[in-house]
Amino acid sequence: MPRIEIALSTIQHNARVLCELYGKQGISLMGVSKAVLGEPLIAEAMIRGGVKFIADSRLENIQRMKKARTPAQFVLLRTALSQAESVVKDVDISLNTEIETLNKLNYYASLHNKIHQIILMVEMGDLREGIPVDEIFLFIKKILCLAHLKIIGLGCNLACYGGIKPDEQKMQQLSALTNAIEQKFDLNLSITSGGNSANYEWYKSTKQVGRINNLRIGESILLGRETVNRQAIPQLDTNAFKLIAEVIESKVKPSLPFGEIGQDAFGNIPRFKDRGMHQRAIIALGKQDALISGLSPDRDLEILGSSSDHMVIDSKNFDLKVGVGVNFNLDYGSLLTAMTSPFIKKQFIN
Ligand SMILES: *Cc1c(COP(=O)(O)O)cnc(C)c1O
């Protein structure tokens, strides 16, 4: 301990259900592995569940999976100019928004005698990555002469930075743009990637998916939820991951610190509610291991706070003995950090 238990069969099940659901209207899925540090066994569970591609924002994660011989086409979600040569060597498809970066990719693709496939991301209001719609025609004109790049599609990303929902209007706009670009440049765009785990509501309510034929899905496969309202998706399992950490102190103490109040370990001046004397426990898990605010104990315990290496909980009526494990469910942020922590063991079950 601490350890994270990972149910591979649950991840495979979630991927399977989502591939079937989205597949009904011709939408293929990229399984997104960035929240799990590109863990090859998890990517492989997604592939057994039917995803066509594995997508990650980190080149290093893709390299890790390639080294493990994960059998997939790899998609890089975030492309940096400084990594252009490795991108061309290790990645099948990259998402792009900058001419300079594409020039570099083309240069290295030519050097290594390759054709590198690209998806152009379009800015549709969330204000993270994307080429503004009114610049995209000129943009494409500039890159069509790059002989070692092949534009295979368009994409957009919503509900990540600005919290903008992928709705009918946005999806229709992206579809129309795909059609317009194909016509104007006599291109065949085989992929229109409409978004991520936030696209579930749109998909359930739309009558026409239009040209949208791909989504890049991480959280729904891993945690069983859509991400506009964080509702569980029917038939999916939300418990693929469980974090278990050890009780290292268990005592009755006052609920109010005593002495003169100054700053805590992170520069905040803490405030506490007086609940009298109560049963408290310390868990050997801290901010260095995982985002504590995204953890929820699997029974009626309350997290009171944490420092780098200690979590303080109100253990209520549970008699938590020193040495026992306490289980937590994780949200996306906690999963991301826990999977990245070298202190948390990764244990695969089934
Ligand atoms: C992280 C990411 C995704 C996956 O998002 P989820 O909400 O986990 O489905 C999709 N596309 C891009 C560009 C991303 O960065």
Side-chain angles (χ1 to χ4, degrees), residues 130-166:
I131 304 158
V133 172
D134 61 358
E135 294 172 20
I136 195 144
F137 285 85
L138 189 59
F139 191 99
I140 292 176
K141 207 170 153 196
K142 282 189 195 152
I143 58 175
L144 277 177
C145 56
L146 303 177
H148 288 263
L149 299 183
K150 181 172 162 54
I151 308 173
I152 61 163
L154 293 187
C156 76
N157 197 56
L158 294 160
C160 260
Y161 176 75
I164 299 299
K165 286 192 203 179

PDB file of all heavy atoms in Angstrom, residues 130-166:
ATOM      1  N   GLY A 130      -6.918  24.564 -31.657  1.00  0.00           N
ATOM      2  CA  GLY A 130      -7.796  24.634 -32.811  1.00  0.00           C
ATOM      3  C   GLY A 130      -7.432  25.763 -33.756  1.00  0.00           C
ATOM      4  O   GLY A 130      -7.026  26.842 -33.323  1.00  0.00           O
ATOM      5  N   ILE A 131      -7.602  25.505 -35.047  1.00  0.00           N
ATOM      6  CA  ILE A 131      -7.414  26.531 -36.073  1.00  0.00           C
ATOM      7  C   ILE A 131      -8.739  27.279 -36.202  1.00  0.00           C
ATOM      8  O   ILE A 131      -9.785  26.629 -36.337  1.00  0.00           O
ATOM      9  CB  ILE A 131      -7.063  25.863 -37.428  1.00  0.00           C
ATOM     10  CG1 ILE A 131      -5.828  24.963 -37.277  1.00  0.00           C
ATOM     11  CG2 ILE A 131      -6.866  26.904 -38.529  1.00  0.00           C
ATOM     12  CD1 ILE A 131      -5.719  23.885 -38.342  1.00  0.00           C
ATOM     13  N   PRO A 132      -8.725  28.618 -36.140  1.00  0.00           N
ATOM     14  CA  PRO A 132      -9.995  29.344 -36.292  1.00  0.00           C
ATOM     15  C   PRO A 132     -10.666  28.984 -37.624  1.00  0.00           C
ATOM     16  O   PRO A 132      -9.980  28.832 -38.639  1.00  0.00           O
ATOM     17  CB  PRO A 132      -9.563  30.813 -36.272  1.00  0.00           C
ATOM     18  CG  PRO A 132      -8.277  30.817 -35.498  1.00  0.00           C
ATOM     19  CD  PRO A 132      -7.603  29.518 -35.841  1.00  0.00           C
ATOM     20  N   VAL A 133     -11.985  28.851 -37.605  1.00  0.00           N
ATOM     21  CA  VAL A 133     -12.721  28.405 -38.794  1.00  0.00           C
ATOM     22  C   VAL A 133     -12.426  29.299 -40.005  1.00  0.00           C
ATOM     23  O   VAL A 133     -12.222  28.816 -41.108  1.00  0.00           O
ATOM     24  CB  VAL A 133     -14.242  28.375 -38.501  1.00  0.00           C
ATOM     25  CG1 VAL A 133     -15.041  28.112 -39.767  1.00  0.00           C
ATOM     26  CG2 VAL A 133     -14.544  27.297 -37.468  1.00  0.00           C
ATOM     27  N   ASP A 134     -12.338  30.609 -39.770  1.00  0.00           N
ATOM     28  CA  ASP A 134     -12.137  31.503 -40.919  1.00  0.00           C
ATOM     29  C   ASP A 134     -10.700  31.488 -41.448  1.00  0.00           C
ATOM     30  O   ASP A 134     -10.391  32.160 -42.418  1.00  0.00           O
ATOM     31  CB  ASP A 134     -12.605  32.931 -40.594  1.00  0.00           C
ATOM     32  CG  ASP A 134     -11.839  33.534 -39.427  1.00  0.00           C
ATOM     33  OD1 ASP A 134     -10.978  32.827 -38.844  1.00  0.00           O
ATOM     34  OD2 ASP A 134     -12.090  34.700 -39.091  1.00  0.00           O
ATOM     35  N   GLU A 135      -9.824  30.738 -40.803  1.00  0.00           N
ATOM     36  CA  GLU A 135      -8.446  30.638 -41.306  1.00  0.00           C
ATOM     37  C   GLU A 135      -8.151  29.289 -41.931  1.00  0.00           C
ATOM     38  O   GLU A 135      -7.071  29.075 -42.501  1.00  0.00           O
ATOM     39  CB  GLU A 135      -7.445  30.862 -40.157  1.00  0.00           C
ATOM     40  CG  GLU A 135      -7.470  32.272 -39.592  1.00  0.00           C
ATOM     41  CD  GLU A 135      -6.613  32.423 -38.337  1.00  0.00           C
ATOM     42  OE1 GLU A 135      -5.712  31.580 -38.098  1.00  0.00           O
ATOM     43  OE2 GLU A 135      -6.859  33.386 -37.590  1.00  0.00           O
ATOM     44  N   ILE A 136      -9.118  28.370 -41.838  1.00  0.00           N
ATOM     45  CA  ILE A 136      -8.752  26.986 -42.150  1.00  0.00           C
ATOM     46  C   ILE A 136      -8.508  26.731 -43.637  1.00  0.00           C
ATOM     47  O   ILE A 136      -7.639  25.941 -43.999  1.00  0.00           O
ATOM     48  CB  ILE A 136      -9.766  25.993 -41.539  1.00  0.00           C
ATOM     49  CG1 ILE A 136      -9.168  24.586 -41.547  1.00  0.00           C
ATOM     50  CG2 ILE A 136     -11.103  25.996 -42.249  1.00  0.00           C
ATOM     51  CD1 ILE A 136      -9.525  23.767 -40.371  1.00  0.00           C
ATOM     52  N   PHE A 137      -9.216  27.456 -44.496  1.00  0.00           N
ATOM     53  CA  PHE A 137      -9.004  27.241 -45.940  1.00  0.00           C
ATOM     54  C   PHE A 137      -7.588  27.661 -46.353  1.00  0.00           C
ATOM     55  O   PHE A 137      -6.885  26.925 -47.043  1.00  0.00           O
ATOM     56  CB  PHE A 137     -10.064  27.978 -46.757  1.00  0.00           C
ATOM     57  CG  PHE A 137     -11.399  27.283 -46.701  1.00  0.00           C
ATOM     58  CD1 PHE A 137     -12.284  27.531 -45.657  1.00  0.00           C
ATOM     59  CD2 PHE A 137     -11.755  26.358 -47.680  1.00  0.00           C
ATOM     60  CE1 PHE A 137     -13.502  26.862 -45.589  1.00  0.00           C
ATOM     61  CE2 PHE A 137     -12.969  25.686 -47.616  1.00  0.00           C
ATOM     62  CZ  PHE A 137     -13.849  25.943 -46.562  1.00  0.00           C
ATOM     63  N   LEU A 138      -7.177  28.821 -45.887  1.00  0.00           N
ATOM     64  CA  LEU A 138      -5.830  29.303 -46.186  1.00  0.00           C
ATOM     65  C   LEU A 138      -4.788  28.364 -45.574  1.00  0.00           C
ATOM     66  O   LEU A 138      -3.753  28.064 -46.179  1.00  0.00           O
ATOM     67  CB  LEU A 138      -5.676  30.723 -45.632  1.00  0.00           C
ATOM     68  CG  LEU A 138      -4.397  31.457 -46.043  1.00  0.00           C
ATOM     69  CD1 LEU A 138      -4.319  31.579 -47.563  1.00  0.00           C
ATOM     70  CD2 LEU A 138      -4.366  32.851 -45.403  1.00  0.00           C
ATOM     71  N   PHE A 139      -5.087  27.912 -44.380  1.00  0.00           N
ATOM     72  CA  PHE A 139      -4.193  26.985 -43.670  1.00  0.00           C
ATOM     73  C   PHE A 139      -3.962  25.726 -44.504  1.00  0.00           C
ATOM     74  O   PHE A 139      -2.828  25.301 -44.741  1.00  0.00           O
ATOM     75  CB  PHE A 139      -4.826  26.639 -42.312  1.00  0.00           C
ATOM     76  CG  PHE A 139      -3.913  25.906 -41.362  1.00  0.00           C
ATOM     77  CD1 PHE A 139      -3.243  26.587 -40.356  1.00  0.00           C
ATOM     78  CD2 PHE A 139      -3.735  24.529 -41.456  1.00  0.00           C
ATOM     79  CE1 PHE A 139      -2.412  25.919 -39.464  1.00  0.00           C
ATOM     80  CE2 PHE A 139      -2.899  23.851 -40.579  1.00  0.00           C
ATOM     81  CZ  PHE A 139      -2.231  24.551 -39.579  1.00  0.00           C
ATOM     82  N   ILE A 140      -5.047  25.152 -44.972  1.00  0.00           N
ATOM     83  CA  ILE A 140      -4.937  23.910 -45.752  1.00  0.00           C
ATOM     84  C   ILE A 140      -4.199  24.161 -47.058  1.00  0.00           C
ATOM     85  O   ILE A 140      -3.347  23.374 -47.465  1.00  0.00           O
ATOM     86  CB  ILE A 140      -6.335  23.295 -45.994  1.00  0.00           C
ATOM     87  CG1 ILE A 140      -6.897  22.797 -44.663  1.00  0.00           C
ATOM     88  CG2 ILE A 140      -6.274  22.168 -47.016  1.00  0.00           C
ATOM     89  CD1 ILE A 140      -8.284  22.256 -44.723  1.00  0.00           C
ATOM     90  N   LYS A 141      -4.491  25.294 -47.678  1.00  0.00           N
ATOM     91  CA  LYS A 141      -3.801  25.646 -48.916  1.00  0.00           C
ATOM     92  C   LYS A 141      -2.289  25.646 -48.702  1.00  0.00           C
ATOM     93  O   LYS A 141      -1.523  25.161 -49.529  1.00  0.00           O
ATOM     94  CB  LYS A 141      -4.276  27.035 -49.359  1.00  0.00           C
ATOM     95  CG  LYS A 141      -4.174  27.258 -50.841  1.00  0.00           C
ATOM     96  CD  LYS A 141      -4.880  28.531 -51.232  1.00  0.00           C
ATOM     97  CE  LYS A 141      -4.248  29.098 -52.486  1.00  0.00           C
ATOM     98  NZ  LYS A 141      -4.639  30.487 -52.691  1.00  0.00           N
ATOM     99  N   LYS A 142      -1.870  26.166 -47.537  1.00  0.00           N
ATOM    100  CA  LYS A 142      -0.433  26.244 -47.255  1.00  0.00           C
ATOM    101  C   LYS A 142       0.200  24.877 -47.030  1.00  0.00           C
ATOM    102  O   LYS A 142       1.390  24.713 -47.272  1.00  0.00           O
ATOM    103  CB  LYS A 142      -0.192  27.102 -45.997  1.00  0.00           C
ATOM    104  CG  LYS A 142      -0.300  28.582 -46.244  1.00  0.00           C
ATOM    105  CD  LYS A 142       0.180  29.334 -44.999  1.00  0.00           C
ATOM    106  CE  LYS A 142      -0.229  30.789 -45.041  1.00  0.00           C
ATOM    107  NZ  LYS A 142      -0.392  31.364 -43.708  1.00  0.00           N
ATOM    108  N   ILE A 143      -0.579  23.926 -46.512  1.00  0.00           N
ATOM    109  CA  ILE A 143       0.069  22.640 -46.195  1.00  0.00           C
ATOM    110  C   ILE A 143      -0.141  21.573 -47.268  1.00  0.00           C
ATOM    111  O   ILE A 143       0.476  20.522 -47.200  1.00  0.00           O
ATOM    112  CB  ILE A 143      -0.354  22.099 -44.804  1.00  0.00           C
ATOM    113  CG1 ILE A 143      -1.853  21.922 -44.714  1.00  0.00           C
ATOM    114  CG2 ILE A 143       0.156  22.983 -43.704  1.00  0.00           C
ATOM    115  CD1 ILE A 143      -2.291  21.283 -43.417  1.00  0.00           C
ATOM    116  N   LEU A 144      -0.965  21.855 -48.247  1.00  0.00           N
ATOM    117  CA  LEU A 144      -1.202  20.841 -49.288  1.00  0.00           C
ATOM    118  C   LEU A 144       0.053  20.544 -50.096  1.00  0.00           C
ATOM    119  O   LEU A 144       0.208  19.466 -50.660  1.00  0.00           O
ATOM    120  CB  LEU A 144      -2.335  21.277 -50.224  1.00  0.00           C
ATOM    121  CG  LEU A 144      -3.738  20.973 -49.689  1.00  0.00           C
ATOM    122  CD1 LEU A 144      -4.790  21.493 -50.637  1.00  0.00           C
ATOM    123  CD2 LEU A 144      -3.923  19.486 -49.414  1.00  0.00           C
ATOM    124  N   CYS A 145       0.977  21.518 -50.120  1.00  0.00           N
ATOM    125  CA  CYS A 145       2.210  21.296 -50.870  1.00  0.00           C
ATOM    126  C   CYS A 145       3.254  20.520 -50.059  1.00  0.00           C
ATOM    127  O   CYS A 145       4.335  20.235 -50.545  1.00  0.00           O
ATOM    128  CB  CYS A 145       2.774  22.643 -51.326  1.00  0.00           C
ATOM    129  SG  CYS A 145       3.018  23.738 -49.941  1.00  0.00           S
ATOM    130  N   LEU A 146       2.928  20.185 -48.827  1.00  0.00           N
ATOM    131  CA  LEU A 146       3.877  19.396 -48.025  1.00  0.00           C
ATOM    132  C   LEU A 146       3.669  17.909 -48.374  1.00  0.00           C
ATOM    133  O   LEU A 146       2.732  17.268 -47.904  1.00  0.00           O
ATOM    134  CB  LEU A 146       3.663  19.663 -46.528  1.00  0.00           C
ATOM    135  CG  LEU A 146       3.781  21.150 -46.124  1.00  0.00           C
ATOM    136  CD1 LEU A 146       3.482  21.334 -44.640  1.00  0.00           C
ATOM    137  CD2 LEU A 146       5.164  21.707 -46.454  1.00  0.00           C
ATOM    138  N   ALA A 147       4.553  17.417 -49.200  1.00  0.00           N
ATOM    139  CA  ALA A 147       4.313  16.131 -49.881  1.00  0.00           C
ATOM    140  C   ALA A 147       4.336  14.920 -48.949  1.00  0.00           C
ATOM    141  O   ALA A 147       3.817  13.871 -49.295  1.00  0.00           O
ATOM    142  CB  ALA A 147       5.335  15.955 -50.987  1.00  0.00           C
ATOM    143  N   HIS A 148       4.945  15.074 -47.783  1.00  0.00           N
ATOM    144  CA  HIS A 148       5.036  13.907 -46.896  1.00  0.00           C
ATOM    145  C   HIS A 148       4.002  13.917 -45.773  1.00  0.00           C
ATOM    146  O   HIS A 148       4.099  13.151 -44.826  1.00  0.00           O
ATOM    147  CB  HIS A 148       6.467  13.773 -46.355  1.00  0.00           C
ATOM    148  CG  HIS A 148       7.410  13.318 -47.421  1.00  0.00           C
ATOM    149  ND1 HIS A 148       7.790  12.004 -47.579  1.00  0.00           N
ATOM    150  CD2 HIS A 148       7.999  14.010 -48.434  1.00  0.00           C
ATOM    151  CE1 HIS A 148       8.593  11.896 -48.620  1.00  0.00           C
ATOM    152  NE2 HIS A 148       8.731  13.106 -49.162  1.00  0.00           N
ATOM    153  N   LEU A 149       3.036  14.813 -45.899  1.00  0.00           N
ATOM    154  CA  LEU A 149       1.927  14.833 -44.942  1.00  0.00           C
ATOM    155  C   LEU A 149       0.653  14.469 -45.681  1.00  0.00           C
ATOM    156  O   LEU A 149       0.449  14.866 -46.830  1.00  0.00           O
ATOM    157  CB  LEU A 149       1.759  16.218 -44.311  1.00  0.00           C
ATOM    158  CG  LEU A 149       2.928  16.772 -43.502  1.00  0.00           C
ATOM    159  CD1 LEU A 149       2.531  18.119 -42.888  1.00  0.00           C
ATOM    160  CD2 LEU A 149       3.360  15.800 -42.410  1.00  0.00           C
ATOM    161  N   LYS A 150      -0.221  13.735 -44.998  1.00  0.00           N
ATOM    162  CA  LYS A 150      -1.528  13.433 -45.587  1.00  0.00           C
ATOM    163  C   LYS A 150      -2.606  13.869 -44.608  1.00  0.00           C
ATOM    164  O   LYS A 150      -2.647  13.391 -43.465  1.00  0.00           O
ATOM    165  CB  LYS A 150      -1.624  11.925 -45.854  1.00  0.00           C
ATOM    166  CG  LYS A 150      -2.950  11.493 -46.490  1.00  0.00           C
ATOM    167  CD  LYS A 150      -2.847  10.027 -46.894  1.00  0.00           C
ATOM    168  CE  LYS A 150      -4.170   9.330 -47.142  1.00  0.00           C
ATOM    169  NZ  LYS A 150      -5.078   9.915 -48.074  1.00  0.00           N
ATOM    170  N   ILE A 151      -3.443  14.793 -45.047  1.00  0.00           N
ATOM    171  CA  ILE A 151      -4.553  15.244 -44.190  1.00  0.00           C
ATOM    172  C   ILE A 151      -5.643  14.184 -44.254  1.00  0.00           C
ATOM    173  O   ILE A 151      -6.262  13.998 -45.305  1.00  0.00           O
ATOM    174  CB  ILE A 151      -5.151  16.583 -44.682  1.00  0.00           C
ATOM    175  CG1 ILE A 151      -4.060  17.640 -44.869  1.00  0.00           C
ATOM    176  CG2 ILE A 151      -6.219  17.086 -43.712  1.00  0.00           C
ATOM    177  CD1 ILE A 151      -4.563  18.933 -45.505  1.00  0.00           C
ATOM    178  N   ILE A 152      -5.860  13.484 -43.160  1.00  0.00           N
ATOM    179  CA  ILE A 152      -6.886  12.429 -43.199  1.00  0.00           C
ATOM    180  C   ILE A 152      -8.196  12.873 -42.555  1.00  0.00           C
ATOM    181  O   ILE A 152      -9.194  12.183 -42.653  1.00  0.00           O
ATOM    182  CB  ILE A 152      -6.403  11.115 -42.542  1.00  0.00           C
ATOM    183  CG1 ILE A 152      -6.074  11.331 -41.065  1.00  0.00           C
ATOM    184  CG2 ILE A 152      -5.213  10.536 -43.297  1.00  0.00           C
ATOM    185  CD1 ILE A 152      -5.989  10.040 -40.287  1.00  0.00           C
ATOM    186  N   GLY A 153      -8.184  14.027 -41.900  1.00  0.00           N
ATOM    187  CA  GLY A 153      -9.460  14.436 -41.327  1.00  0.00           C
ATOM    188  C   GLY A 153      -9.414  15.718 -40.527  1.00  0.00           C
ATOM    189  O   GLY A 153      -8.378  16.384 -40.417  1.00  0.00           O
ATOM    190  N   LEU A 154     -10.575  16.018 -39.972  1.00  0.00           N
ATOM    191  CA  LEU A 154     -10.743  17.188 -39.109  1.00  0.00           C
ATOM    192  C   LEU A 154     -11.184  16.698 -37.728  1.00  0.00           C
ATOM    193  O   LEU A 154     -11.753  15.616 -37.588  1.00  0.00           O
ATOM    194  CB  LEU A 154     -11.855  18.097 -39.624  1.00  0.00           C
ATOM    195  CG  LEU A 154     -11.696  18.845 -40.943  1.00  0.00           C
ATOM    196  CD1 LEU A 154     -12.877  19.798 -41.100  1.00  0.00           C
ATOM    197  CD2 LEU A 154     -10.370  19.584 -41.007  1.00  0.00           C
ATOM    198  N   GLY A 155     -10.940  17.549 -36.744  1.00  0.00           N
ATOM    199  CA  GLY A 155     -11.411  17.208 -35.409  1.00  0.00           C
ATOM    200  C   GLY A 155     -11.693  18.468 -34.627  1.00  0.00           C
ATOM    201  O   GLY A 155     -11.293  19.568 -35.025  1.00  0.00           O
ATOM    202  N   CYS A 156     -12.415  18.312 -33.532  1.00  0.00           N
ATOM    203  CA  CYS A 156     -12.539  19.436 -32.612  1.00  0.00           C
ATOM    204  C   CYS A 156     -12.580  18.890 -31.204  1.00  0.00           C
ATOM    205  O   CYS A 156     -12.871  17.713 -30.970  1.00  0.00           O
ATOM    206  CB  CYS A 156     -13.772  20.284 -32.910  1.00  0.00           C
ATOM    207  SG  CYS A 156     -15.307  19.548 -32.365  1.00  0.00           S
ATOM    208  N   ASN A 157     -12.221  19.735 -30.272  1.00  0.00           N
ATOM    209  CA  ASN A 157     -12.201  19.338 -28.877  1.00  0.00           C
ATOM    210  C   ASN A 157     -12.971  20.362 -28.064  1.00  0.00           C
ATOM    211  O   ASN A 157     -12.656  21.545 -28.086  1.00  0.00           O
ATOM    212  CB  ASN A 157     -10.758  19.236 -28.381  1.00  0.00           C
ATOM    213  CG  ASN A 157     -10.660  18.449 -27.101  1.00  0.00           C
ATOM    214  OD1 ASN A 157     -11.095  17.306 -27.045  1.00  0.00           O
ATOM    215  ND2 ASN A 157     -10.114  19.051 -26.065  1.00  0.00           N
ATOM    216  N   LEU A 158     -13.992  19.896 -27.361  1.00  0.00           N
ATOM    217  CA  LEU A 158     -14.824  20.794 -26.558  1.00  0.00           C
ATOM    218  C   LEU A 158     -14.884  20.264 -25.125  1.00  0.00           C
ATOM    219  O   LEU A 158     -14.434  19.162 -24.838  1.00  0.00           O
ATOM    220  CB  LEU A 158     -16.230  20.865 -27.166  1.00  0.00           C
ATOM    221  CG  LEU A 158     -16.286  21.533 -28.552  1.00  0.00           C
ATOM    222  CD1 LEU A 158     -17.553  21.147 -29.301  1.00  0.00           C
ATOM    223  CD2 LEU A 158     -16.194  23.047 -28.425  1.00  0.00           C
ATOM    224  N   ALA A 159     -15.438  21.085 -24.240  1.00  0.00           N
ATOM    225  CA  ALA A 159     -15.664  20.684 -22.848  1.00  0.00           C
ATOM    226  C   ALA A 159     -14.387  20.311 -22.113  1.00  0.00           C
ATOM    227  O   ALA A 159     -14.398  19.507 -21.191  1.00  0.00           O
ATOM    228  CB  ALA A 159     -16.658  19.517 -22.794  1.00  0.00           C
ATOM    229  N   CYS A 160     -13.261  20.899 -22.538  1.00  0.00           N
ATOM    230  CA  CYS A 160     -12.012  20.593 -21.833  1.00  0.00           C
ATOM    231  C   CYS A 160     -11.493  21.812 -21.081  1.00  0.00           C
ATOM    232  O   CYS A 160     -11.232  21.757 -19.905  1.00  0.00           O
ATOM    233  CB  CYS A 160     -10.940  20.112 -22.805  1.00  0.00           C
ATOM    234  SG  CYS A 160     -10.788  18.332 -22.802  1.00  0.00           S
ATOM    235  N   TYR A 161     -11.369  22.917 -21.796  1.00  0.00           N
ATOM    236  CA  TYR A 161     -10.825  24.119 -21.166  1.00  0.00           C
ATOM    237  C   TYR A 161     -11.940  25.107 -20.831  1.00  0.00           C
ATOM    238  O   TYR A 161     -12.088  25.545 -19.694  1.00  0.00           O
ATOM    239  CB  TYR A 161      -9.793  24.762 -22.099  1.00  0.00           C
ATOM    240  CG  TYR A 161      -9.256  26.062 -21.569  1.00  0.00           C
ATOM    241  CD1 TYR A 161      -8.336  26.067 -20.526  1.00  0.00           C
ATOM    242  CD2 TYR A 161      -9.686  27.278 -22.081  1.00  0.00           C
ATOM    243  CE1 TYR A 161      -7.847  27.262 -20.017  1.00  0.00           C
ATOM    244  CE2 TYR A 161      -9.196  28.472 -21.583  1.00  0.00           C
ATOM    245  CZ  TYR A 161      -8.279  28.465 -20.548  1.00  0.00           C
ATOM    246  OH  TYR A 161      -7.812  29.637 -20.044  1.00  0.00           O
ATOM    247  N   GLY A 162     -12.728  25.444 -21.832  1.00  0.00           N
ATOM    248  CA  GLY A 162     -13.756  26.458 -21.636  1.00  0.00           C
ATOM    249  C   GLY A 162     -15.096  25.901 -21.165  1.00  0.00           C
ATOM    250  O   GLY A 162     -16.021  26.673 -20.882  1.00  0.00           O
ATOM    251  N   GLY A 163     -15.205  24.576 -21.109  1.00  0.00           N
ATOM    252  CA  GLY A 163     -16.459  23.967 -20.664  1.00  0.00           C
ATOM    253  C   GLY A 163     -17.597  24.084 -21.673  1.00  0.00           C
ATOM    254  O   GLY A 163     -18.771  23.958 -21.319  1.00  0.00           O
ATOM    255  N   ILE A 164     -17.257  24.338 -22.945  1.00  0.00           N
ATOM    256  CA  ILE A 164     -18.301  24.481 -23.973  1.00  0.00           C
ATOM    257  C   ILE A 164     -18.791  23.104 -24.414  1.00  0.00           C
ATOM    258  O   ILE A 164     -18.010  22.220 -24.733  1.00  0.00           O
ATOM    259  CB  ILE A 164     -17.733  25.269 -25.189  1.00  0.00           C
ATOM    260  CG1 ILE A 164     -17.301  26.670 -24.759  1.00  0.00           C
ATOM    261  CG2 ILE A 164     -18.755  25.327 -26.331  1.00  0.00           C
ATOM    262  CD1 ILE A 164     -18.408  27.544 -24.199  1.00  0.00           C
ATOM    263  N   LYS A 165     -20.126  22.947 -24.423  1.00  0.00           N
ATOM    264  CA  LYS A 165     -20.723  21.642 -24.745  1.00  0.00           C
ATOM    265  C   LYS A 165     -20.673  21.341 -26.240  1.00  0.00           C
ATOM    266  O   LYS A 165     -20.921  22.225 -27.062  1.00  0.00           O
ATOM    267  CB  LYS A 165     -22.203  21.645 -24.366  1.00  0.00           C
ATOM    268  CG  LYS A 165     -22.495  21.566 -22.903  1.00  0.00           C
ATOM    269  CD  LYS A 165     -23.985  21.281 -22.770  1.00  0.00           C
ATOM    270  CE  LYS A 165     -24.503  21.732 -21.419  1.00  0.00           C
ATOM    271  NZ  LYS A 165     -25.948  21.470 -21.313  1.00  0.00           N
ATOM    272  N   PRO A 166     -20.397  20.094 -26.575  1.00  0.00           N
ATOM    273  CA  PRO A 166     -20.520  19.687 -27.975  1.00  0.00           C
ATOM    274  C   PRO A 166     -22.001  19.458 -28.300  1.00  0.00           C
ATOM    275  O   PRO A 166     -22.564  18.425 -27.942  1.00  0.00           O
ATOM    276  CB  PRO A 166     -19.740  18.364 -28.030  1.00  0.00           C
ATOM    277  CG  PRO A 166     -19.628  17.892 -26.628  1.00  0.00           C
ATOM    278  CD  PRO A 166     -19.922  19.020 -25.700  1.00  0.00           C
TER     279      PRO A 166
END
